[in-house]
């Protein structure tokens, strides 16, 4: 992805210095900064505190953190196992994290170089898979389509290109002039902050809407299709994605609007049968009770939005049953939920 005329990936790793670098997503869209993480603990902390977030990006980051552990721990099996546990304890829902930590851990049994190569391969495959998702998803988009998306499943949520937004970028590049409704995505605001930032930089026509406004636009016939990402897709086609996805899918069904989920195969968890078996991350109530943003001098501030004395509940994801999903947009093509068993 190009920002200010420079090509970026969301996260990358230099094995020689053993440093992981990433775009700081907590500061976006108000500041564009790169952070450098010198060991696996710092990299894991960046996943936990959402400096990096989104299924593919945290997957690649977990793979890099695992590689950092192999490089720095001199093959000490006990310590490497502890590093794996530490990395995997950061966030529970997106399966890409476990996909990457396991693959790098297993590759590392043959040597440090193998661990490093595997981590780099996972990142490269993520970028290439998302590029293909764009090509495949573009086939579904008609000229001037009005597309609703929830949360951020653009290039910032992956190594490059994105999942839900990759078809939008491909459609834009092929002259179809897509329009995007970006749900703001309370409480962290990934739609208002990150999706909007991406669309703006790609010159895609878009508007940020309140999460509560999506049903209104659907009921008025002003949404042609919904495309979201996914954090985990189980064997039966149920989808864990950012909280609020479920209600969008139900409303889309009511109004006959196709509901697509774009994800690479690293997000499919065939070992888990159905969505009710997925661990849903509960995040700090402060995300809900406070809003964060820059004041007029661009100093980041946190402001309380809710009545003092009240506590909040903050589930980060919900599960959309497969019956609401029109099809999955993947690097291997467009797949209907009932066809998934072929890919197990
Ligand atoms: O909590 P986050 O920001 O890591 O949430 C993950 C997501 O970005 C969304 O759920 C997204 O739609 C799917 S991940 C590409």
């Amino acid at each position: 992805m190009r920002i200010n005329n420079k090509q970026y990936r969301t996260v990358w790793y230099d094995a020689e210095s053993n440093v992981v670098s990433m775009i700081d997503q907590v500061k976006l869209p108000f500041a564009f900064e790169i952070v450098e993480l010198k060991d696996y603990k710092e990299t894991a902390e960046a996943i936990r505190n959402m400096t990096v977030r989104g299924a593919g990006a945290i997957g690649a980051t977990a793979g890099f953190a695992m590689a950092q552990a192999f490089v720095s721990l001199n093959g000490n099996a006990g310590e490497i196992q502890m590093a794996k546990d530490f990395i995997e304890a950061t966030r529970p829902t997106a399966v890409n994290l476990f996909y990457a930590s396991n693959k790098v851990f297993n590759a590392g049994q043959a040597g440090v170089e193998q661990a490093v190569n595997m981590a780099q391969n996972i990142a490269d495959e993520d970028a290439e898979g998302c590029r293909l998702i764009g090509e495949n998803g573009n086939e579904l988009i008609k000229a001037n389509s009005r597309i609703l998306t929830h949360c951020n499943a653009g290039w910032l949520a992956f190594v490059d290109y994105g999942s839900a937004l990759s078809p939008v970028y491909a459609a834009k590049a092929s002259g179809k002039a897509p329009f995007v409704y970006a749900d703001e995505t309370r409480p962290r605001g990934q739609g208002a902050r990150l999706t909007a930032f991406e669309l703006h930089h790609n010159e895609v026509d878009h508007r940020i809407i309140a999460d509560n406004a999506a049903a209104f636009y659907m009921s008025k016939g002003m949404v042609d299709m919904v495309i979201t990402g996914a954090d985990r897709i189980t064997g039966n086609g149920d989808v864990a994605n950012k909280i609020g996805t479920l209600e969008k899918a139900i409303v889309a069904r009511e109004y006959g609007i196709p509901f697509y989920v774009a994800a690479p195969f690293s997000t499919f968890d065939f070992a888990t049968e159905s969505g009710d078996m997925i661990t849903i991350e509960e995040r700090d109530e402060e995300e809900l009770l406070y809003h964060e943003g820059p004041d007029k001098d661009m100093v980041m501030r946190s402001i309380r939005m809710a009545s003092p004395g009240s506590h909040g509940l903050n589930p980060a994801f919900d599960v959309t049953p497969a019956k609401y999903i029109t099809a999955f947009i993947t690097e291997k093509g467009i797949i209907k939920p009932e066809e998934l068993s072929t890919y197990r």
Side-chain angles (χ1 to χ4, degrees), residues 50 53-55 91 151-153 157-158 190 230-231 241-242 317:
M50 292 176 73
R53 31 64 54 206
R91 299 196 68 190
C151 194
N152 172 263
F158 288 85
Q190 290 96 328
D231 293 270
N241 194 50
K242 183 55 56 189
F317 302 95

Side-chain angles (χ1 to χ4, degrees), residues 25 47 50 52-58 91 94 96 149-154 156-158 162-164 185 188 190 194 227-232 240-243 245 262-264 267 281 283 287 316-317:
Q25 299 196 38
I47 298 174
M50 292 176 73
V52 63
R53 31 64 54 206
I58 66 176
R91 299 196 68 190
N96 304 61
T149 192
H150 190 70
C151 194
N152 172 263
L156 287 162
F158 288 85
S163 57
T185 319
R188 289 285 295 218
Q190 290 96 328
L194 304 177
I227 311 180
T228 73
D231 293 270
R232 189 183 292 240
N241 194 50
K242 183 55 56 189
I243 192 77
T245 304
T267 303
E281 179 180 7
R283 294 192 62 87
E287 289 183 347
F317 302 95

Side-chain angles (χ1 to χ4, degrees), residues 205-231:
D205 193 9
H206 67 283
R207 296 292 183 279
I208 298 164
I209 60 169
D211 292 325
N212 303 341
F216 170 79
Y217 287 111
M218 290 197 219
S219 74
K220 295 285 177 200
M222 293 169 72
V223 177
D224 300 308
M225 64 200 296
V226 181
I227 311 180
T228 73
D231 293 270

